[in-house]
Amino acid sequence: MHDIRTLRADPAAFDAALARRGLPPIAEAVLTQDAARRAGQTAAQEAQSRRNQLSKEIGQAKRQGGDTAALEAEAVSLRNRMEALEAEAKAAEQAQTAVLEALPNLLDDTVPDGADESANVVLHQEGQPAAFDFPAKQHFELGEAWGLMDFAAAAKLAGARFTVLRGQLARLERALGQYMLSLHVDEHGYTESSVPLLVNSATMYGTGQLPKFEEDLFRTTDGRWLIPTAEVPLTNLAAGEILPEDALPLRYAALSPCFRSEAGSAGRDTRGMLRQHQFAKVEMVAVTTPEQSEAEHERMTRCAERVLTELGLTWRRIVLCAGDTGFAASKTYDLEVWLPGQGAWREISSCSNCRDFQARRMGARYRPKETKGTAYLHTLNGSGVAVGRALIAVLETHQQADGSVRVPEVLLPWMGGVTQIG
């Protein structure tokens, strides 16, 4: 959500910032709505002031035995006018809010220009794509050959874009989630959290999923929503709060199922586990001051990078360009892993600084130590990392010539003595 005062102060700069995302100018229309809203509110206040004065005059006239008919008629007229003015002001405010809440966050100055993912910039690469002396298989070829990855059974149970994992492969998925959550909690200082998987509309609105992305979500018959990521409930823990600065930063981590309709992904990644309606993810969320959010963004991204390094994966950090940066984000780093079976880089983590964009929608503030009053918090979120995609990367990276897969050493404490799958 945007501060209307920022738009009033420099409408041309606001339009220029939106133009980086490929959006048309909007400032003039919003300011027209804003002027109508303020004019209506001012007129309503003036009418109320006159009604208050009339009430005194009517009382005085009655005490003196005078005729109050004209004064009372004016009071009735003013009441009707006030109701009309208040309705007009409310309609203008709702129209203004509808426009503002549909606008994405303004981009950080360091975000590169560009219309789509082709303009994203690689900042760092860890390792080189492995050269196997045998034909590399994709994850679903390995899993189906072992009888431990069953898409047909999942389709029977739930339809397309679901998977049934069995035996050692199911255990490997559990091991990945437990390893990543333990790492972020025990060594990176995040507070382990178990959160609701169903949330209300206000919670979805707070992080920017509603109203813009309703078609990408699953909704229950009683009006609740299945979370697309634990970012939603974790970030909203700060909703409506005024936190002391000494309590910041707050860092939360959760391992949870995630649910996405993939409404805009028809025909994409239909084979395998890359794009599912249900998947597990370890999510990291930070709530901090504006002065610390940039450093927190770097820290969070390094936490995710450590996971990929310890799993023995080849990865790279990318800064997303203007046209590829998400709705609520001011700046985003994507982490991509090399999948030998696919022969391609695929995203496995996305770490974003949303600055005060979500905090304004949630009403999340803090009380600075050195100044009076309150200020909006900055919120950040990142995958630490997507469990299903980590499973894919481990299978394809650590596959052996005989069709088996070596289990990374960091996962062995959760594998019950299993060092190789297949």
Side-chain angles (χ1 to χ4, degrees):
M1 195 72 168
H2 297 284
D3 185 352
I4 188 64
R5 291 173 296 183
T6 301
L7 199 153
R8 288 185 201 135
D10 196 341
F14 191 85
D15 279 342
L18 292 182
R20 296 190 66 202
R21 287 185 177 267
L23 297 176
I26 197 69
E28 182 178 355
V30 174
L31 291 178
T32 298
Q33 293 168 335
D34 187 49
R37 176 186 63 82
R38 290 195 289 172
Q41 289 174 339
T42 299
Q45 290 167 359
E46 291 172 348
Q48 180 63 56
S49 178
R50 175 58 183 154
R51 280 194 74 201
N52 293 341
Q53 180 62 33
L54 280 171
S55 179
K56 294 178 182 177
E57 293 177 7
I58 291 170
Q60 184 177 4
K62 285 183 175 180
R63 285 192 296 271
Q64 296 175 350
D67 184 5
T68 61
L71 294 175
E72 290 178 356
E74 184 181 355
V76 171
S77 176
L78 277 173
R79 183 188 64 195
N80 294 336
R81 175 168 167 72
M82 279 181 56
E83 291 175 352
L85 288 170
E86 289 170 353
E88 291 172 6
K90 184 176 182 180
E93 182 177 14
Q94 290 174 337
Q96 177 182 301
T97 300
V99 173
L100 289 176
E101 70 186 6
L103 295 177
N105 200 352
L106 301 185
L107 298 169
D108 186 88
D109 291 341
T110 62
V111 171
D113 290 328
D116 54 39
E117 61 184 16
S118 64
N120 294 342
V121 177
V122 178
L123 301 178
H124 173 75
Q125 180 173 315
E126 188 77 11
Q128 294 295 324
F132 296 148
D133 56 4
F134 58 89
K137 294 181 179 179
Q138 296 196 53
H139 65 282
F140 53 84
E141 295 174 312
L142 294 164
E144 288 180 321
W146 304 327
L148 303 180
M149 187 179 291
D150 195 335
F151 299 101
K156 178 181 69 175
L157 299 173
R161 296 194 186 277
F162 291 92
T163 309
V164 170
L165 299 179
R166 298 190 182 94
Q168 294 175 348
L169 208 50
R171 183 158 193 160
L172 180 62
E173 181 189 47
R174 174 161 59 93
L176 281 162
Q178 294 300 319
Y179 151 68
M180 292 187 287
L181 184 61
S182 296
L183 176 68
H184 296 317
V185 170
D186 297 339
E187 299 191 35
H188 295 157
Y190 288 84
T191 299
E192 182 171 352
S193 306
S194 178
V195 293
L197 305 182
L198 289 168
V199 297
N200 57 34
S201 294
T203 300
M204 283 291 194
Y205 177 85
T207 46
Q209 276 72 30
L210 290 178
K212 186 174 178 61
F213 301 106
E214 181 174 346
E215 68 171 9
D216 295 321
L217 305 169
F218 288 111
R219 189 175 191 179
T220 63
T221 55
D222 67 353
R224 292 183 177 89
W225 304 83
L226 288 167
I227 62 169
T229 163
E231 169 206 343
V232 175
L234 288 176
T235 306
N236 273 277
L237 290 173
E241 301 291 331
I242 300 178
L243 303 174
E245 185 175 353
D246 288 340
L248 304 174
L250 297 177
R251 299 184 179 116
Y252 302 113
L255 168 61
S256 78
C258 306
F259 305 91
R260 298 184 186 176
S261 72
E262 298 292 346
S265 302
R268 296 178 59 190
D269 301 315
T270 54
R271 291 294 308 273
M273 293 178 56
L274 269 167
R275 201 174 297 275
Q276 301 272 279
H277 289 312
Q278 174 186 317
F279 58 94
K281 181 155 67 82
V282 175
E283 184 72 13
M284 302 176 291
V285 161
V287 178
T288 189
T289 63
E291 295 77 15
Q292 295 300 317
S293 68
E294 186 173 346
E296 191 69 26
H297 192 199
E298 293 294 326
R299 181 188 189 276
M300 178 179 285
T301 307
R302 289 195 300 271
C303 290
E305 289 171 345
R306 181 175 172 186
V307 170
L308 306 181
T309 297
E310 291 192 353
L311 289 175
L313 306 176
T314 298
W315 58 269
R316 64 185 187 182
R317 183 198 289 204
I318 290 173
V319 59
L320 299 190
C321 72
D324 201 30
T325 301
F327 177 81
S330 177
K331 183 178 181 179
T332 298
Y333 294 128
D334 266 9
L335 301 181
E336 295 183 340
V337 290
W338 177 256
L339 300 183
Q342 283 199 7
W345 294 97
R346 300 304 295 257
E347 183 239 318
I348 195 171
S349 172
S350 189
C351 298
S352 297
N353 187 350
C354 298
R355 303 198 182 277
D356 65 358
F357 184 81
Q358 292 177 326
R360 288 183 180 279
R361 298 172 77 99
M362 297 187 301
R365 297 174 177 266
Y366 76 105
R367 198 177 301 280
K369 291 185 294 185
E370 304 299 331
T371 60
K372 293 182 179 180
T374 62
Y376 283 107
L377 292 157
H378 278 202
T379 61
L380 304 95
N381 62 82
S383 309
V385 297
V387 177
R389 294 201 172 196
L391 177 68
I392 292 169
V394 166
L395 294 180
E396 295 196 12
T397 299
H398 297 300
Q399 61 182 294
Q400 310 295 305
D402 63 358
S404 65
V405 168
R406 177 178 56 82
V407 177
E409 185 175 350
V410 292
L411 300 181
L412 295 181
W414 290 275
M415 289 300 294
V418 174
T419 61
Q420 185 171 289
I421 295 177

